[in-house]
Amino acid sequence: MAATKTIEIRTEIPGPRSRALLERERRAIARPLMVHLPIFAERAENATITDVDGNVFVDFAGGVGVVNAGHAHPRIVEAVVEQATRFLHTDFTVVPYEPAVALAERLCALAPISGEKRAAFFNAGTEAVENAVKLARLHTGRPGVIAYEGGFHGRTLLSMTMTSKFHPYKTGMGPYAPEVYRAPFPDAYRGPGADEALERLAHMLETHVPGEHVAAIVIEPQLGEGGFVPASPEYMEGLRALCDRHGIVFVADEVQTGFGRTGRMFAMEHFGVEADLMTVAKSIAAGLPLSGVIGRAEIMDGAHAGAIGGTYIGNPVAQAAALAVLDVFEEEGLLERASSVGDRIRERMHAWQERWPAIGDVRGLGAMLAIELVHDPQTKDPAPELALAVIQAALERGLILLKAGVHANCIRVLCPLTIEEAVLDEALEVWEDALVTVLG
Ligand code: PLP
């Protein structure tokens, strides 16, 4: 392994302080909130996290895709402090404030949807999804929602129902919300291809749930939790045509793909077609809880007053952070950076694929990349234990990686787009070293 400059591993992992905290955590925090990594954070800066034992890790998880603009960027922290010293909360629908309006203006200008647009803010990604469906139902007067195999949309009742992976997200938590139907996602590696997936959706709209019954089709432009499978331009064009033919609202769930992850501000920009509504969250506010729905004014304004809302919607501190995130994108050229970071990682991943047949696929848009581990590249039999072993070996060497995929056999990249080049190279060395350890 190359001499490391940023990563510093001073103790065994987890170290004594993290172990002591884990003991307390087990007695105090509800078991289902299982922690994935046994290290406790002390501080984080750009692409690194320092744990309570003084170990410094490079973070390729970004808290699951939340810190595209880096951990604790000084510009964002400054904006948060400035807003926090003025006021923390008034409830926007009781006493409104400018950061919400300014953020709506900027996001409407950036959203790849033409015509007049509006934005509405919430807290979590799941709320954005639920509210997008509400808006689509009110607009169309129809109940049905089509979601995708491999899709993930959150953990509240409707979004949990829309989520495809049953275990652990749905097990034992039914009855599920009614009127959710499921279509196959186009998958260049495992199939179905774009044409077949479109044919099956068209057939579904004729035979299973008629188009005039469907309010919305909700699609991630690239599956997130489902294994970083990108949709294709052909599929998205066909989907747009089907939505137009049947008067269905096209909802792009950009919660994980948004804010530069794919090398464009929003992933829909890769496909040459427009959604009607899009949901955003995660990297929007660099770690403060904020989400939103942005879309065509006709749909957004169509709902009656009070149809959407909530005590904490669009917190002003989170919105000050979000405005600063947009400034950082502009000032630091983060979209270009996302493309170059993505190219560098993709090149390395392809070299790994040449070397190890267990890496069945390398895929993703921009810097939203993953490798898929299989036992046999011919049968594509998923190898989740190999993915887990690589993640474990990387952690011991100071790199935080996350799995993904319906079969939990993918390892994904959600590193800050602000990562320094030397740190990126160091992290890729560590990842490679972990692959050597596990795959030989
Ligand atoms: N939609 C997508 C595409 C996601 O990836 C997620 C979370 O991972 C959600 C929705 C739900 O977001 P949250 O966990 O903030 O509710």
Side-chain angles (χ1 to χ4, degrees), residues 125-397:
T126 188
E127 275 177 89
V129 170
E130 301 243 351
N131 282 293
V133 171
K134 276 189 182 179
L135 290 163
R137 283 179 168 159
L138 285 163
H139 176 71
T140 56
R142 306 169 180 176
V145 181
I146 295 179
Y148 281 85
E149 286 169 11
F152 182 92
H153 300 286
R155 287 183 163 91
T156 49
L157 182 60
L158 178 59
S159 66
M160 169 180 76
T161 306
M162 289 165 65
T163 288
S164 155
K165 193 173 176 180
F166 201 83
H167 188 68
Y169 302 123
K170 301 166 83 157
T171 314
M173 289 176 280
Y176 306 102
E179 293 294 348
V180 175
Y181 305 87
R182 199 163 304 284
F185 193 90
D187 183 338
Y189 181 57
R190 290 184 179 273
D195 289 348
E196 188 192 334
L198 265 179
E199 268 169 39
R200 283 169 60 184
L201 176 60
H203 186 70
M204 181 175 165
L205 290 170
E206 303 300 334
T207 59
H208 186 58
V209 51
E212 74 268 16
H213 188 80
V214 179
I217 299 183
V218 184
I219 186 168
E220 292 162 83
Q222 172 167 319
L223 294 180
E225 304 306 300
F228 278 30
V229 182
S232 64
E234 307 81 66
Y235 185 84
M236 288 305 210
E237 276 167 33
L239 176 58
R240 180 70 263 179
L242 282 172
C243 287
D244 289 342
R245 185 182 320 154
H246 296 284
I248 297 169
V249 176
F250 184 137
V251 182
D253 183 347
E254 294 254 16
V255 165
Q256 196 159 155
T257 52
F259 296 93
R261 175 53 50 192
T262 69
R264 309 278 169 88
M265 193 51 113
F266 297 106
M268 282 304 290
E269 292 167 50
H270 289 276
F271 302 118
V273 295
E274 294 183 1
D276 299 305
L277 300 179
M278 55 191 267
T279 54
V280 291
K282 290 198 183 281
S283 275
I284 185 174
L288 275 81
L290 183 66
S291 68
V293 181
I294 306 159
R296 287 172 42 214
E298 184 195 345
I299 302 172
M300 299 290 295
D301 284 345
H304 52 273
I308 59 174
T311 301
Y312 294 113
I313 55 160
N315 173 270
V317 181
Q319 287 175 324
L323 288 164
V325 165
L326 296 179
D327 292 341
V328 169
F329 266 85
E330 284 170 16
E331 286 159 17
E332 299 185 16
L334 279 200
L335 296 182
E336 296 75 39
R337 184 88 190 106
S339 298
S340 68
V341 165
D343 288 347
R344 215 174 174 107
I345 300 173
R346 188 179 297 101
E347 192 184 321
R348 199 64 176 262
M349 286 177 161
H350 280 302
W352 295 340
Q353 193 181 21
E354 294 276 303
R355 183 167 168 190
W356 290 291
I359 299 180
D361 197 25
V362 170
R363 60 174 174 257
L365 302 167
M368 189 167 181
L369 294 162
I371 56 173
E372 173 156 357
L373 289 145
V374 292
H375 291 122
D376 174 342
Q378 249 55 55
T379 63
K380 302 178 182 174
D381 179 30
E385 76 288 358
L386 293 182
L388 201 62
V390 172
I391 289 168
Q392 182 59 32
L395 182 70
E396 284 160 10
R397 289 161 178 75

